[in-house]
Amino acid sequence: MKLPVIKHLSQFIEDNDEDFLVETIETLEHLTELPSLKDEELDVIGEIISNMYGALEVNKMIKEGTPKKEALNSFMKRVMGSIDN
């Protein structure tokens, strides 16, 4: 996951609506079922999906009252913690 991408997607959610991301995730997940995709292509799609889910999670924290910067930092700390374990 990349914080700048998640931050950019979070701004997109603020400017538009999270439904756009949800529908895009569903489309990308459906695309991963295509048997002719190469592993590298699946990796790229997976990274995009993971960043989108991250942005949705950050957006959820913001809706619950967490300031945007704190939500982004908290989310990334949680991600980094789960990778280290």
Side-chain angles (χ1 to χ4, degrees):
M1 290 189 184
K2 300 199 183 282
L3 186 58
V5 174
I6 293 171
K7 185 176 180 180
H8 191 73
L9 289 169
S10 295
Q11 185 62 51
F12 179 84
I13 293 171
E14 271 184 50
D15 295 343
N16 298 281
D17 191 311
E18 72 179 44
D19 290 341
F20 286 105
L21 251 62
V22 171
E23 291 171 0
T24 302
I25 290 169
E26 291 171 358
T27 303
L28 290 170
E29 286 176 341
H30 180 74
L31 186 60
T32 63
E33 298 169 8
L34 186 63
S36 62
L37 284 179
K38 297 176 184 169
D39 288 343
E40 299 84 22
E41 294 166 328
L42 285 172
D43 289 344
V44 170
I45 293 170
E47 181 69 18
I48 293 169
I49 291 171
S50 122
N51 284 309
M52 288 182 168
Y53 275 123
L56 289 172
E57 185 64 29
V58 168
N59 186 57
K60 180 181 172 190
M61 288 189 278
I62 292 169
K63 281 183 177 178
E64 293 170 350
T66 306
K68 185 176 183 177
K69 185 175 181 176
E70 186 180 325
L72 285 161
N73 289 333
S74 172
F75 176 76
M76 288 311 292
K77 283 179 187 175
R78 207 169 67 221
V79 168
M80 296 308 291
S82 69
I83 292 171
D84 291 339
N85 292 333

